[in-house]
Amino acid sequence: MYSSIDYLLRGIKFLNNYFIPSNKKISSLMFYGTTLCDSKCKHCLIWAKKPKENLPKEKFIEIMQSRCVTKDTTVGLEGGEFLLHPEAQEILSWFKENHPKFDILSNCLKPDKLIETVKQYTPHRLYVSLDGDRDTYLQMRGVDGYDKVIRVIEACKDIVPMSLMFTLTPYNGIADMSHVIALAQKYDIDIRIGLYNNIDFFDTEQEAHHNMNHSINRMLPEILKTSENADFLLLYDEWKKGNVKLRCFSILDSLVIHPDGEVPICQNLDVMLGNVNEKSLDEIFNSKQTIKLHRQYCKNCNQCWINFHRKYDIVFFRSLEKILPKKIINLVFRDYQWTDNKNTTYKQFIKEKTQQYE
């Protein structure tokens, strides 16, 4: 799903952002454009937020014209359900003409509207959520949308690159993950596996990680079928034990914006860098205060295991190990480790895990 060019461009941005923090550029920009949602998910309570909020079209355009946003910045449009945004079509029209590198994330509950949108605006990628089989979908989301997801997959998979988004939560399990992996294989589309986290904006109720009783080791045969997700999931148990320690470099180039204009430092923490209704995104993202916060949390956080952030950190350190000895990397970045043994390399960790099922 991501090419060598994508990784190269992000690597160039990392070097710029790390060494010139007052002139950072954004690689991934996620707009939570609206709190409107037609689902009733147990693992996300955006749909219950009041009052409802929408980021205006003019603010989207203003943000996209910031110096820290480049033509290579990947933009994600979600909510809530982005297509419910009252100005969704106008916003999509602007992106198609001015910044075609945008993704749509959807629950597919309005399949006709989504299919027509994909045909008309041709997003860079389409991400659709599926939490398990038909019964699990209804139990988790409170609405009957399973067949609508399948309909969107069949209608759009040959139009744009697609990903099925499965989130492992306290409300589903291994069988559901296996079901979604099998569907991705059937339709020959990408799959992204995430883990339930206490994201402040989602108003989650169940305490993440402590209520996640799934054994990742038991899931290995299925996980190993999805190379893009394997190490992220295999390292989860080690991270829960406190053994995985990686600096959070993703916050230097990945940003989310809420519908009320708030700009948090990341998806996990309730730490705000500023509000785009009060200052420009350039003023917020490259301010002295943000530089100070980035240095603090980049070095000392390690508090979440969210796809949007930690997959980048995994790729960063595993890539370094391909060209440098781990001891050298430790000298530069201090105390990063994959297991309770600080000397274990990424390659050794993965080999030990996968040998169980060879």
PDB file of all heavy atoms in Angstrom, residues 283-313:
ATOM      1  N   GLU A 283       1.756  28.985  12.547  1.00  0.00           N
ATOM      2  CA  GLU A 283       2.093  29.551  13.852  1.00  0.00           C
ATOM      3  C   GLU A 283       2.013  28.493  14.946  1.00  0.00           C
ATOM      4  O   GLU A 283       2.821  28.478  15.881  1.00  0.00           O
ATOM      5  CB  GLU A 283       1.142  30.704  14.182  1.00  0.00           C
ATOM      6  CG  GLU A 283       1.345  31.939  13.336  1.00  0.00           C
ATOM      7  CD  GLU A 283       0.303  33.005  13.609  1.00  0.00           C
ATOM      8  OE1 GLU A 283      -0.908  32.694  13.544  1.00  0.00           O
ATOM      9  OE2 GLU A 283       0.687  34.149  13.889  1.00  0.00           O
ATOM     10  N   ILE A 284       1.037  27.597  14.827  1.00  0.00           N
ATOM     11  CA  ILE A 284       0.854  26.549  15.840  1.00  0.00           C
ATOM     12  C   ILE A 284       1.932  25.482  15.738  1.00  0.00           C
ATOM     13  O   ILE A 284       2.614  25.159  16.712  1.00  0.00           O
ATOM     14  CB  ILE A 284      -0.544  25.900  15.693  1.00  0.00           C
ATOM     15  CG1 ILE A 284      -1.633  26.908  16.035  1.00  0.00           C
ATOM     16  CG2 ILE A 284      -0.660  24.658  16.575  1.00  0.00           C
ATOM     17  CD1 ILE A 284      -3.031  26.439  15.659  1.00  0.00           C
ATOM     18  N   PHE A 285       2.117  24.937  14.537  1.00  0.00           N
ATOM     19  CA  PHE A 285       2.957  23.751  14.363  1.00  0.00           C
ATOM     20  C   PHE A 285       4.442  24.050  14.528  1.00  0.00           C
ATOM     21  O   PHE A 285       5.217  23.191  14.945  1.00  0.00           O
ATOM     22  CB  PHE A 285       2.686  23.138  12.983  1.00  0.00           C
ATOM     23  CG  PHE A 285       3.308  21.778  12.781  1.00  0.00           C
ATOM     24  CD1 PHE A 285       3.082  20.741  13.674  1.00  0.00           C
ATOM     25  CD2 PHE A 285       4.109  21.533  11.680  1.00  0.00           C
ATOM     26  CE1 PHE A 285       3.646  19.488  13.481  1.00  0.00           C
ATOM     27  CE2 PHE A 285       4.676  20.279  11.475  1.00  0.00           C
ATOM     28  CZ  PHE A 285       4.438  19.265  12.386  1.00  0.00           C
ATOM     29  N   ASN A 286       4.850  25.274  14.206  1.00  0.00           N
ATOM     30  CA  ASN A 286       6.274  25.603  14.264  1.00  0.00           C
ATOM     31  C   ASN A 286       6.609  26.646  15.322  1.00  0.00           C
ATOM     32  O   ASN A 286       7.664  27.282  15.268  1.00  0.00           O
ATOM     33  CB  ASN A 286       6.750  26.084  12.878  1.00  0.00           C
ATOM     34  CG  ASN A 286       6.897  24.930  11.897  1.00  0.00           C
ATOM     35  OD1 ASN A 286       7.403  23.873  12.256  1.00  0.00           O
ATOM     36  ND2 ASN A 286       6.424  25.119  10.677  1.00  0.00           N
ATOM     37  N   SER A 287       5.732  26.794  16.306  1.00  0.00           N
ATOM     38  CA  SER A 287       5.983  27.757  17.381  1.00  0.00           C
ATOM     39  C   SER A 287       7.048  27.243  18.351  1.00  0.00           C
ATOM     40  O   SER A 287       7.336  26.037  18.402  1.00  0.00           O
ATOM     41  CB  SER A 287       4.695  28.024  18.162  1.00  0.00           C
ATOM     42  OG  SER A 287       4.325  26.875  18.914  1.00  0.00           O
ATOM     43  N   LYS A 288       7.620  28.140  19.133  1.00  0.00           N
ATOM     44  CA  LYS A 288       8.611  27.753  20.138  1.00  0.00           C
ATOM     45  C   LYS A 288       7.990  26.816  21.174  1.00  0.00           C
ATOM     46  O   LYS A 288       8.648  25.879  21.645  1.00  0.00           O
ATOM     47  CB  LYS A 288       9.168  28.995  20.819  1.00  0.00           C
ATOM     48  CG  LYS A 288      10.055  29.840  19.911  1.00  0.00           C
ATOM     49  CD  LYS A 288      10.614  31.052  20.664  1.00  0.00           C
ATOM     50  CE  LYS A 288      11.508  31.881  19.754  1.00  0.00           C
ATOM     51  NZ  LYS A 288      12.043  33.085  20.451  1.00  0.00           N
ATOM     52  N   GLN A 289       6.710  27.064  21.527  1.00  0.00           N
ATOM     53  CA  GLN A 289       6.047  26.214  22.504  1.00  0.00           C
ATOM     54  C   GLN A 289       5.860  24.799  21.970  1.00  0.00           C
ATOM     55  O   GLN A 289       6.063  23.806  22.685  1.00  0.00           O
ATOM     56  CB  GLN A 289       4.682  26.808  22.892  1.00  0.00           C
ATOM     57  CG  GLN A 289       3.859  25.960  23.851  1.00  0.00           C
ATOM     58  CD  GLN A 289       4.520  25.782  25.204  1.00  0.00           C
ATOM     59  OE1 GLN A 289       5.433  26.531  25.562  1.00  0.00           O
ATOM     60  NE2 GLN A 289       4.068  24.794  25.967  1.00  0.00           N
ATOM     61  N   THR A 290       5.491  24.679  20.680  1.00  0.00           N
ATOM     62  CA  THR A 290       5.331  23.357  20.076  1.00  0.00           C
ATOM     63  C   THR A 290       6.669  22.631  19.994  1.00  0.00           C
ATOM     64  O   THR A 290       6.752  21.422  20.255  1.00  0.00           O
ATOM     65  CB  THR A 290       4.696  23.473  18.681  1.00  0.00           C
ATOM     66  OG1 THR A 290       3.345  23.934  18.818  1.00  0.00           O
ATOM     67  CG2 THR A 290       4.685  22.126  17.957  1.00  0.00           C
ATOM     68  N   ILE A 291       7.723  23.356  19.627  1.00  0.00           N
ATOM     69  CA  ILE A 291       9.054  22.739  19.582  1.00  0.00           C
ATOM     70  C   ILE A 291       9.420  22.182  20.953  1.00  0.00           C
ATOM     71  O   ILE A 291       9.937  21.062  21.075  1.00  0.00           O
ATOM     72  CB  ILE A 291      10.105  23.766  19.109  1.00  0.00           C
ATOM     73  CG1 ILE A 291       9.857  24.145  17.646  1.00  0.00           C
ATOM     74  CG2 ILE A 291      11.516  23.206  19.277  1.00  0.00           C
ATOM     75  CD1 ILE A 291      10.704  25.305  17.157  1.00  0.00           C
ATOM     76  N   LYS A 292       9.130  22.931  21.987  1.00  0.00           N
ATOM     77  CA  LYS A 292       9.415  22.490  23.353  1.00  0.00           C
ATOM     78  C   LYS A 292       8.610  21.244  23.709  1.00  0.00           C
ATOM     79  O   LYS A 292       9.146  20.279  24.280  1.00  0.00           O
ATOM     80  CB  LYS A 292       9.097  23.624  24.331  1.00  0.00           C
ATOM     81  CG  LYS A 292       9.367  23.295  25.790  1.00  0.00           C
ATOM     82  CD  LYS A 292       9.035  24.486  26.687  1.00  0.00           C
ATOM     83  CE  LYS A 292       9.258  24.135  28.161  1.00  0.00           C
ATOM     84  NZ  LYS A 292       8.920  25.293  29.042  1.00  0.00           N
ATOM     85  N   LEU A 293       7.319  21.242  23.354  1.00  0.00           N
ATOM     86  CA  LEU A 293       6.462  20.083  23.645  1.00  0.00           C
ATOM     87  C   LEU A 293       6.897  18.862  22.840  1.00  0.00           C
ATOM     88  O   LEU A 293       6.899  17.734  23.349  1.00  0.00           O
ATOM     89  CB  LEU A 293       5.001  20.424  23.349  1.00  0.00           C
ATOM     90  CG  LEU A 293       4.320  21.376  24.331  1.00  0.00           C
ATOM     91  CD1 LEU A 293       2.963  21.824  23.791  1.00  0.00           C
ATOM     92  CD2 LEU A 293       4.134  20.703  25.694  1.00  0.00           C
ATOM     93  N   HIS A 294       7.256  19.062  21.589  1.00  0.00           N
ATOM     94  CA  HIS A 294       7.724  17.953  20.767  1.00  0.00           C
ATOM     95  C   HIS A 294       8.966  17.303  21.374  1.00  0.00           C
ATOM     96  O   HIS A 294       9.069  16.067  21.438  1.00  0.00           O
ATOM     97  CB  HIS A 294       8.029  18.438  19.346  1.00  0.00           C
ATOM     98  CG  HIS A 294       6.838  18.522  18.463  1.00  0.00           C
ATOM     99  ND1 HIS A 294       6.828  19.199  17.276  1.00  0.00           N
ATOM    100  CD2 HIS A 294       5.584  18.011  18.591  1.00  0.00           C
ATOM    101  CE1 HIS A 294       5.649  19.102  16.704  1.00  0.00           C
ATOM    102  NE2 HIS A 294       4.871  18.392  17.490  1.00  0.00           N
ATOM    103  N   ARG A 295       9.903  18.112  21.808  1.00  0.00           N
ATOM    104  CA  ARG A 295      11.123  17.569  22.420  1.00  0.00           C
ATOM    105  C   ARG A 295      10.792  16.770  23.674  1.00  0.00           C
ATOM    106  O   ARG A 295      11.350  15.699  23.918  1.00  0.00           O
ATOM    107  CB  ARG A 295      12.082  18.707  22.746  1.00  0.00           C
ATOM    108  CG  ARG A 295      12.774  19.279  21.522  1.00  0.00           C
ATOM    109  CD  ARG A 295      13.581  20.514  21.862  1.00  0.00           C
ATOM    110  NE  ARG A 295      14.299  21.037  20.693  1.00  0.00           N
ATOM    111  CZ  ARG A 295      14.832  22.241  20.636  1.00  0.00           C
ATOM    112  NH1 ARG A 295      14.753  23.068  21.683  1.00  0.00           N
ATOM    113  NH2 ARG A 295      15.466  22.642  19.541  1.00  0.00           N
ATOM    114  N   GLN A 296       9.882  17.303  24.462  1.00  0.00           N
ATOM    115  CA  GLN A 296       9.506  16.639  25.713  1.00  0.00           C
ATOM    116  C   GLN A 296       8.834  15.303  25.464  1.00  0.00           C
ATOM    117  O   GLN A 296       9.235  14.273  26.031  1.00  0.00           O
ATOM    118  CB  GLN A 296       8.569  17.553  26.505  1.00  0.00           C
ATOM    119  CG  GLN A 296       8.023  16.908  27.785  1.00  0.00           C
ATOM    120  CD  GLN A 296       6.993  17.794  28.462  1.00  0.00           C
ATOM    121  OE1 GLN A 296       6.865  18.987  28.154  1.00  0.00           O
ATOM    122  NE2 GLN A 296       6.231  17.221  29.380  1.00  0.00           N
ATOM    123  N   TYR A 297       7.817  15.284  24.606  1.00  0.00           N
ATOM    124  CA  TYR A 297       7.024  14.067  24.419  1.00  0.00           C
ATOM    125  C   TYR A 297       7.686  13.083  23.456  1.00  0.00           C
ATOM    126  O   TYR A 297       7.507  11.870  23.600  1.00  0.00           O
ATOM    127  CB  TYR A 297       5.617  14.419  23.943  1.00  0.00           C
ATOM    128  CG  TYR A 297       4.763  14.966  25.058  1.00  0.00           C
ATOM    129  CD1 TYR A 297       4.603  16.330  25.237  1.00  0.00           C
ATOM    130  CD2 TYR A 297       4.145  14.101  25.971  1.00  0.00           C
ATOM    131  CE1 TYR A 297       3.828  16.840  26.280  1.00  0.00           C
ATOM    132  CE2 TYR A 297       3.378  14.596  27.015  1.00  0.00           C
ATOM    133  CZ  TYR A 297       3.223  15.963  27.166  1.00  0.00           C
ATOM    134  OH  TYR A 297       2.470  16.446  28.214  1.00  0.00           O
ATOM    135  N   CYS A 298       8.439  13.588  22.505  1.00  0.00           N
ATOM    136  CA  CYS A 298       9.160  12.704  21.597  1.00  0.00           C
ATOM    137  C   CYS A 298      10.112  11.802  22.371  1.00  0.00           C
ATOM    138  O   CYS A 298      10.239  10.613  22.100  1.00  0.00           O
ATOM    139  CB  CYS A 298       9.922  13.542  20.579  1.00  0.00           C
ATOM    140  SG  CYS A 298      10.919  12.606  19.434  1.00  0.00           S
ATOM    141  N   LYS A 299      10.740  12.364  23.372  1.00  0.00           N
ATOM    142  CA  LYS A 299      11.749  11.639  24.131  1.00  0.00           C
ATOM    143  C   LYS A 299      11.168  10.796  25.262  1.00  0.00           C
ATOM    144  O   LYS A 299      11.661   9.702  25.550  1.00  0.00           O
ATOM    145  CB  LYS A 299      12.754  12.635  24.717  1.00  0.00           C
ATOM    146  CG  LYS A 299      13.903  11.998  25.478  1.00  0.00           C
ATOM    147  CD  LYS A 299      14.878  13.058  25.978  1.00  0.00           C
ATOM    148  CE  LYS A 299      16.035  12.433  26.746  1.00  0.00           C
ATOM    149  NZ  LYS A 299      16.990  13.464  27.241  1.00  0.00           N
ATOM    150  N   ASN A 300      10.109  11.267  25.895  1.00  0.00           N
ATOM    151  CA  ASN A 300       9.691  10.682  27.176  1.00  0.00           C
ATOM    152  C   ASN A 300       8.322  10.014  27.194  1.00  0.00           C
ATOM    153  O   ASN A 300       7.890   9.544  28.243  1.00  0.00           O
ATOM    154  CB  ASN A 300       9.689  11.783  28.253  1.00  0.00           C
ATOM    155  CG  ASN A 300      11.034  12.431  28.416  1.00  0.00           C
ATOM    156  OD1 ASN A 300      12.038  11.746  28.528  1.00  0.00           O
ATOM    157  ND2 ASN A 300      11.081  13.765  28.407  1.00  0.00           N
ATOM    158  N   CYS A 301       7.600   9.956  26.080  1.00  0.00           N
ATOM    159  CA  CYS A 301       6.200   9.523  26.160  1.00  0.00           C
ATOM    160  C   CYS A 301       6.040   7.995  26.186  1.00  0.00           C
ATOM    161  O   CYS A 301       5.965   7.389  27.238  1.00  0.00           O
ATOM    162  CB  CYS A 301       5.392  10.136  25.016  1.00  0.00           C
ATOM    163  SG  CYS A 301       3.607   9.853  25.218  1.00  0.00           S
ATOM    164  N   ASN A 302       5.966   7.362  25.003  1.00  0.00           N
ATOM    165  CA  ASN A 302       5.808   5.903  24.922  1.00  0.00           C
ATOM    166  C   ASN A 302       4.520   5.423  25.606  1.00  0.00           C
ATOM    167  O   ASN A 302       4.447   4.308  26.102  1.00  0.00           O
ATOM    168  CB  ASN A 302       7.024   5.196  25.545  1.00  0.00           C
ATOM    169  CG  ASN A 302       7.189   3.762  25.034  1.00  0.00           C
ATOM    170  OD1 ASN A 302       7.083   3.508  23.837  1.00  0.00           O
ATOM    171  ND2 ASN A 302       7.428   2.825  25.933  1.00  0.00           N
ATOM    172  N   GLN A 303       3.461   6.269  25.632  1.00  0.00           N
ATOM    173  CA  GLN A 303       2.257   5.962  26.390  1.00  0.00           C
ATOM    174  C   GLN A 303       1.157   5.280  25.583  1.00  0.00           C
ATOM    175  O   GLN A 303       0.136   4.887  26.151  1.00  0.00           O
ATOM    176  CB  GLN A 303       1.691   7.248  27.008  1.00  0.00           C
ATOM    177  CG  GLN A 303       2.578   7.864  28.074  1.00  0.00           C
ATOM    178  CD  GLN A 303       1.966   9.123  28.656  1.00  0.00           C
ATOM    179  OE1 GLN A 303       0.755   9.203  28.858  1.00  0.00           O
ATOM    180  NE2 GLN A 303       2.792  10.115  28.928  1.00  0.00           N
ATOM    181  N   CYS A 304       1.293   5.196  24.263  1.00  0.00           N
ATOM    182  CA  CYS A 304       0.203   4.607  23.463  1.00  0.00           C
ATOM    183  C   CYS A 304       0.750   3.570  22.493  1.00  0.00           C
ATOM    184  O   CYS A 304       1.957   3.444  22.296  1.00  0.00           O
ATOM    185  CB  CYS A 304      -0.547   5.704  22.705  1.00  0.00           C
ATOM    186  SG  CYS A 304       0.259   6.219  21.155  1.00  0.00           S
ATOM    187  N   TRP A 305      -0.185   2.841  21.901  1.00  0.00           N
ATOM    188  CA  TRP A 305       0.148   1.906  20.825  1.00  0.00           C
ATOM    189  C   TRP A 305      -0.885   2.093  19.715  1.00  0.00           C
ATOM    190  O   TRP A 305      -1.645   1.208  19.374  1.00  0.00           O
ATOM    191  CB  TRP A 305       0.209   0.471  21.333  1.00  0.00           C
ATOM    192  CG  TRP A 305       1.072  -0.414  20.475  1.00  0.00           C
ATOM    193  CD1 TRP A 305       0.678  -1.423  19.656  1.00  0.00           C
ATOM    194  CD2 TRP A 305       2.495  -0.338  20.343  1.00  0.00           C
ATOM    195  NE1 TRP A 305       1.756  -1.979  19.014  1.00  0.00           N
ATOM    196  CE2 TRP A 305       2.898  -1.332  19.427  1.00  0.00           C
ATOM    197  CE3 TRP A 305       3.469   0.490  20.906  1.00  0.00           C
ATOM    198  CZ2 TRP A 305       4.226  -1.532  19.066  1.00  0.00           C
ATOM    199  CZ3 TRP A 305       4.796   0.294  20.543  1.00  0.00           C
ATOM    200  CH2 TRP A 305       5.158  -0.715  19.634  1.00  0.00           C
ATOM    201  N   ILE A 306      -0.910   3.319  19.165  1.00  0.00           N
ATOM    202  CA  ILE A 306      -1.874   3.718  18.145  1.00  0.00           C
ATOM    203  C   ILE A 306      -1.215   3.643  16.772  1.00  0.00           C
ATOM    204  O   ILE A 306      -0.099   4.132  16.575  1.00  0.00           O
ATOM    205  CB  ILE A 306      -2.377   5.157  18.411  1.00  0.00           C
ATOM    206  CG1 ILE A 306      -3.163   5.207  19.730  1.00  0.00           C
ATOM    207  CG2 ILE A 306      -3.240   5.663  17.264  1.00  0.00           C
ATOM    208  CD1 ILE A 306      -3.607   6.601  20.128  1.00  0.00           C
ATOM    209  N   ASN A 307      -1.932   3.038  15.800  1.00  0.00           N
ATOM    210  CA  ASN A 307      -1.391   2.861  14.450  1.00  0.00           C
ATOM    211  C   ASN A 307      -0.819   4.146  13.878  1.00  0.00           C
ATOM    212  O   ASN A 307       0.273   4.153  13.296  1.00  0.00           O
ATOM    213  CB  ASN A 307      -2.479   2.388  13.473  1.00  0.00           C
ATOM    214  CG  ASN A 307      -3.311   1.267  13.997  1.00  0.00           C
ATOM    215  OD1 ASN A 307      -3.747   1.278  15.135  1.00  0.00           O
ATOM    216  ND2 ASN A 307      -3.569   0.289  13.153  1.00  0.00           N
ATOM    217  N   PHE A 308      -1.577   5.225  13.991  1.00  0.00           N
ATOM    218  CA  PHE A 308      -1.235   6.490  13.357  1.00  0.00           C
ATOM    219  C   PHE A 308       0.151   6.979  13.774  1.00  0.00           C
ATOM    220  O   PHE A 308       0.824   7.678  13.021  1.00  0.00           O
ATOM    221  CB  PHE A 308      -2.297   7.535  13.730  1.00  0.00           C
ATOM    222  CG  PHE A 308      -2.173   8.848  12.988  1.00  0.00           C
ATOM    223  CD1 PHE A 308      -2.402   8.908  11.628  1.00  0.00           C
ATOM    224  CD2 PHE A 308      -1.845  10.015  13.659  1.00  0.00           C
ATOM    225  CE1 PHE A 308      -2.304  10.130  10.937  1.00  0.00           C
ATOM    226  CE2 PHE A 308      -1.740  11.230  12.993  1.00  0.00           C
ATOM    227  CZ  PHE A 308      -1.974  11.281  11.627  1.00  0.00           C
ATOM    228  N   HIS A 309       0.576   6.590  14.973  1.00  0.00           N
ATOM    229  CA  HIS A 309       1.864   7.047  15.479  1.00  0.00           C
ATOM    230  C   HIS A 309       2.906   5.934  15.544  1.00  0.00           C
ATOM    231  O   HIS A 309       4.008   6.072  15.023  1.00  0.00           O
ATOM    232  CB  HIS A 309       1.689   7.659  16.869  1.00  0.00           C
ATOM    233  CG  HIS A 309       0.818   8.866  16.869  1.00  0.00           C
ATOM    234  ND1 HIS A 309       1.197  10.060  16.299  1.00  0.00           N
ATOM    235  CD2 HIS A 309      -0.441   9.059  17.346  1.00  0.00           C
ATOM    236  CE1 HIS A 309       0.221  10.944  16.429  1.00  0.00           C
ATOM    237  NE2 HIS A 309      -0.774  10.365  17.056  1.00  0.00           N
ATOM    238  N   ARG A 310       2.580   4.816  16.178  1.00  0.00           N
ATOM    239  CA  ARG A 310       3.621   3.852  16.513  1.00  0.00           C
ATOM    240  C   ARG A 310       4.117   3.033  15.324  1.00  0.00           C
ATOM    241  O   ARG A 310       5.254   2.568  15.324  1.00  0.00           O
ATOM    242  CB  ARG A 310       3.168   2.926  17.635  1.00  0.00           C
ATOM    243  CG  ARG A 310       2.787   3.618  18.944  1.00  0.00           C
ATOM    244  CD  ARG A 310       3.537   4.904  19.260  1.00  0.00           C
ATOM    245  NE  ARG A 310       4.967   4.805  19.402  1.00  0.00           N
ATOM    246  CZ  ARG A 310       5.611   4.635  20.542  1.00  0.00           C
ATOM    247  NH1 ARG A 310       4.936   4.501  21.679  1.00  0.00           N
ATOM    248  NH2 ARG A 310       6.911   4.590  20.587  1.00  0.00           N
ATOM    249  N   LYS A 311       3.296   2.856  14.289  1.00  0.00           N
ATOM    250  CA  LYS A 311       3.798   2.146  13.115  1.00  0.00           C
ATOM    251  C   LYS A 311       4.970   2.899  12.492  1.00  0.00           C
ATOM    252  O   LYS A 311       5.930   2.292  12.014  1.00  0.00           O
ATOM    253  CB  LYS A 311       2.678   1.953  12.089  1.00  0.00           C
ATOM    254  CG  LYS A 311       1.743   0.800  12.412  1.00  0.00           C
ATOM    255  CD  LYS A 311       0.829   0.482  11.248  1.00  0.00           C
ATOM    256  CE  LYS A 311      -0.032  -0.727  11.553  1.00  0.00           C
ATOM    257  NZ  LYS A 311      -0.880  -1.123  10.422  1.00  0.00           N
ATOM    258  N   TYR A 312       4.868   4.215  12.490  1.00  0.00           N
ATOM    259  CA  TYR A 312       5.962   5.026  11.949  1.00  0.00           C
ATOM    260  C   TYR A 312       7.232   4.814  12.759  1.00  0.00           C
ATOM    261  O   TYR A 312       8.327   4.672  12.199  1.00  0.00           O
ATOM    262  CB  TYR A 312       5.569   6.503  11.969  1.00  0.00           C
ATOM    263  CG  TYR A 312       6.699   7.423  11.547  1.00  0.00           C
ATOM    264  CD1 TYR A 312       7.022   7.587  10.201  1.00  0.00           C
ATOM    265  CD2 TYR A 312       7.452   8.102  12.492  1.00  0.00           C
ATOM    266  CE1 TYR A 312       8.068   8.419   9.819  1.00  0.00           C
ATOM    267  CE2 TYR A 312       8.494   8.938  12.110  1.00  0.00           C
ATOM    268  CZ  TYR A 312       8.793   9.090  10.774  1.00  0.00           C
ATOM    269  OH  TYR A 312       9.829   9.912  10.398  1.00  0.00           O
ATOM    270  N   ASP A 313       7.094   4.801  14.090  1.00  0.00           N
ATOM    271  CA  ASP A 313       8.269   4.641  14.950  1.00  0.00           C
ATOM    272  C   ASP A 313       8.912   3.272  14.758  1.00  0.00           C
ATOM    273  O   ASP A 313      10.136   3.141  14.787  1.00  0.00           O
ATOM    274  CB  ASP A 313       7.872   4.853  16.414  1.00  0.00           C
ATOM    275  CG  ASP A 313       7.246   6.227  16.636  1.00  0.00           C
ATOM    276  OD1 ASP A 313       7.746   7.199  16.043  1.00  0.00           O
ATOM    277  OD2 ASP A 313       6.259   6.320  17.364  1.00  0.00           O
TER     278      ASP A 313
END
